[in-house]
Amino acid sequence: MKTQVLGVNAPTQTCTDKKCPFHGELDVKKELFTGVVIKKDINHSATIEWFVSHYVKKYERYALKRSRLRVHNPACINAEVGYEVLVAKTRPLSKTKHHVILKVLGKKEKITGTEVKVDEAAGRYAAKEDEEEGGKGGVKSKYQSKK
Ligand SMILES: [Zn+2]
């Protein structure tokens, strides 16, 4: 049993999982990701997701890129859906899993991607309203000037 893996303290609970970085025989590599758990399956598997915004020159706007990763979720950590987790690279654990959860960082109510989308839409809607009001005002002032 290891007390620390990559500077992360072992969880208070213990497990008998061979694929656990703390209580098993699994070595982790120093390649870390953080993401939110969006799906939790049997056999200690989970799917995490995170968003990266990048600039699209043609449209002069930012687009969100979604990344997803299948990860191993040891019994001693047992991360739930909606929680942000720290993940490290390992040897291949199964056909689709090459990463393991090290630590639960905390609960995340909203996923960043949806938050940004909502904000953008609200901003655009508000801007449109302003333009319309301005246009009406302009027409009124024209009429007034004619009179
Ligand atoms: Zn464990």
Side-chain angles (χ1 to χ4, degrees), residues 33-37 48 71 73 77 79-80 83-87 101-106:
F33 294 101
T34 53
V36 179
V37 180
I48 67 162
V71 296
N73 190 7
I77 294 168
E80 297 288 340
Y83 281 81
E84 198 175 16
V85 291
L86 182 72
V87 162
I101 295 175
L102 287 184
K103 193 185 179 185
V104 177
L105 298 170

Side-chain angles (χ1 to χ4, degrees), residues 14-15 20 22-23 74 76:
T14 56
C15 69
C20 176
F22 300 100
H23 313 106
C76 56

Side-chain angles (χ1 to χ4, degrees), residues 127-145:
K128 241 186 179 179
E129 272 184 349
D130 285 347
E131 274 171 29
E132 277 169 12
E133 278 172 25
K136 277 176 193 170
V139 171
K140 268 182 191 172
S141 63
K142 268 183 194 172
Y143 279 121
Q144 277 170 355
S145 65

Side-chain angles (χ1 to χ4, degrees), residues 6 28-33 87-90 98-100 102:
L6 294 179
V28 296
K29 285 153 189 153
K30 206 176 175 181
E31 196 181 307
L32 302 165
F33 294 101
V87 162
K89 193 175 183 174
T90 63
H98 307 78
H99 296 81
V100 67
L102 287 184

Side-chain angles (χ1 to χ4, degrees), residues 66-136:
R66 183 178 66 189
S67 292
R68 282 184 176 185
L69 203 63
R70 289 285 286 162
V71 296
H72 187 68
N73 190 7
C76 56
I77 294 168
N78 195 22
E80 297 288 340
V81 172
Y83 281 81
E84 198 175 16
V85 291
L86 182 72
V87 162
K89 193 175 183 174
T90 63
R91 68 175 171 83
L93 299 169
S94 73
K95 185 184 162 188
T96 52
K97 291 195 291 179
H98 307 78
H99 296 81
V100 67
I101 295 175
L102 287 184
K103 193 185 179 185
V104 177
L105 298 170
K107 189 158 190 179
K108 220 164 192 192
E109 290 288 327
K110 283 180 190 171
I111 300 165
T112 34
T114 51
E115 261 178 30
V116 173
K117 271 177 198 166
V118 168
D119 287 348
E120 267 182 11
R124 256 182 238 151
Y125 191 59
K128 241 186 179 179
E129 272 184 349
D130 285 347
E131 274 171 29
E132 277 169 12
E133 278 172 25
K136 277 176 193 170

